[in-house]
Amino acid sequence: MKKIIFLIILINSHYFYSQEDNSLIGNTIRELGIDTHSIKLTQAKENPSNKDETIIVIAERVEEISISSYTVNSYIIIVNTKTGKIIQQYFEDYKENGWHIDSEELQKIKIDTAPYLLTENTRAFGVRLEYVGSSKPNPYKTTLSLYVRNPNT
């Protein structure tokens, strides 16, 4: 009985955390004026080095070249976890970020908060993109881009 109650508590706490994430993401999308129909994927993660900040990544599908080929703009945003106020934002269009999808499908975005120390005082966080393609020997591909929060904002 105790195991079942513990499992229910875990499931419910994850559900509420996910709702909070979705609210932060939804509010950020509205504030930036992004068309919700063009959004391919989103992801949010609390910054472990600063619990007052949440990192949000939005992949916006912008140009369809064919059924299996399209381009994606990226928004990397840091918001106040409690208020949802945008603290910092970074936008890259598909020409800058290289998020051109061709014969592979962008399946998942992961925010990687491992301590990527670029210098003694500069810590980066990562954005991992996971793709699935039709290649039989190697259908999976993952890329990693590193981002640094601008300390002046």
Side-chain angles (χ1 to χ4, degrees), residues 15-72:
Y15 175 73
F16 291 122
Y17 182 73
S18 296
Q19 277 189 329
E20 185 176 307
D21 270 0
N22 288 336
S23 174
L24 282 174
I25 292 170
N27 291 339
T28 302
I29 288 168
R30 280 188 291 284
E31 189 171 336
L32 293 173
I34 302 170
D35 178 9
T36 56
H37 295 96
S38 67
I39 293 173
K40 173 67 179 155
L41 291 170
T42 62
Q43 182 68 336
K45 184 174 185 179
E46 188 176 87
N47 184 351
S49 64
N50 184 347
K51 300 291 185 190
D52 292 334
E53 295 179 349
T54 297
I55 302 164
I56 297 175
V57 178
I58 301 169
E60 175 191 32
R61 190 175 180 147
V62 288
E63 184 179 341
E64 191 159 329
I65 299 161
S66 69
I67 292 173
S68 63
S69 181
Y70 55 92
T71 57
V72 179

Side-chain angles (χ1 to χ4, degrees), residues 95-147:
K95 295 173 190 166
E96 297 168 323
N97 67 19
W99 295 12
H100 177 89
I101 315 305
D102 188 18
S103 74
E104 322 174 302
E105 183 63 27
L106 178 58
Q107 290 289 307
K108 189 182 288 187
I109 296 173
K110 288 185 178 177
I111 299 169
D112 185 349
T113 54
Y116 293 104
L117 295 176
L118 304 180
T119 67
E120 191 174 313
N121 298 319
T122 305
R123 179 180 173 160
F125 63 90
V127 174
R128 292 185 183 274
L129 301 179
E130 294 182 4
Y131 300 89
V132 175
S134 57
S135 168
K136 297 285 185 216
N138 190 12
Y140 304 103
K141 176 175 119 180
T142 301
T143 63
L144 171 67
S145 300
L146 296 179
Y147 297 88

